[in-house]
Amino acid sequence: MSGPMGVAILGATGTIGENTLDVIARHPERFRAVALGARRDVGKLLAQCERFRPDYAALAEPQAAADLERALRERGLPTRVLAGPGALEHIAALPEAPAVMAGIVGAAGLASTLAAARAGQRLMIANKESLVMAGPLLLAQARASGAMLLPIDSEHNAIFQCLPPGLAPGCEPPGVRRILLTASGGPFLDWSAEQLAAATPAQACKHPKWVMGRKISVDSATLMNKGLEVIEARILFGLAADRIDVVVHRQSLVHSLVEYVDGSLLAQLGSPDMRTPIAYALGWPERIDSGVQSLDLAQAGSLQFEPPDPVRFPCLPLAREAARVGGLAPAVLNAANEVAVAAFLEGRLNFCGISRVIEAVIDAGPSGTATDLDSVLAADASARERAVREVVRLGRTGATG
Ligand code: MG
């Protein structure tokens, strides 16, 4: 090997970014953090620059970038600072950082993820929204440039590990009957409809198994996270939505399964720690140390599996339907969900209002094909506007339950 592989991390200050840096720090001879990008967290990015000495640091918010620049110069650090939304796209396509971790949460990560695909990078995708909103575009760009797609979402990484090697992104794997995505069920799995109506943001953000950001924690509580993952799996593995099943598995030790036509089920198990999928993607096709503890199966005791409840968790069937329809439907679903979740976190919408907002926005249309990024962004913008109006309407009627 000729020197360490350069890595760019989009979303360096988030959970995925910090875990990626943790794995990189274990293998200084193999990897080097060449570029770190975030939206606005100056303090954390500065600390990372001091420790990892990247060539580039990018912040999407110009004022934050100016603050970082000043702090770096005061400390005599030579890291080049890039500012504005284009900065993330720039570091996604650097030739000296051919491995890109797309770890920005939400639609904000779309443009930079697409830029990495266009540039033919080794693209480690943790930004599920780019697959959900613009999956066909992302696949087309990856195919055209030869970019490799390595899923980081624990479920899709598990499936990737259980599939035969060498498959092109988005191509149906041979001999597969179906995919089974496991769901922890989130913090409200056993809550009654009445309890769900009164659920608070703090309760929703207390996930039993995984430590995650606030938005994805709420998605986990509504099961929308699993719904988005159905859409994600449909894009990544080229299977129709009716061949992607969801099973609730409280222990979060089986990260997902692939069923083959001969009846074989292959599963990937491990401690719930994002460093496993991150290390797998960084090292692929080799296996490298991730710092993750061994899983003690005897201590785990039993593994349970049960069906998800579509009545208490209507976001899952809403997402399944969007996966089946395809085109712009997943982008509309995702936009409505982001608006509704933000409103819930800010106390302007109750928990059960989240699925109501999404359903109302989907019912209003539009559908259609995702021909280019502009059509996706237009569908996203109009769905957000409708969702904002719907949040106000539901808030005003004081709808509960
Ligand atoms: Mg996941």
Side-chain angles (χ1 to χ4, degrees), residues 128 153-155 225 229:
K128 61 182 64 183
D153 208 347
S154 60
E155 294 78 1
N225 183 50
E229 288 177 358

Side-chain angles (χ1 to χ4, degrees), residues 237-258:
F237 307 116
L239 288 176
D242 62 1
R243 289 167 67 194
I244 304 168
D245 287 336
V246 172
V247 62
V248 173
H249 166 51
R250 293 170 189 256
Q251 292 79 20
S252 291
L253 297 176
V254 177
H255 300 308
S256 276
L257 311 91
V258 174

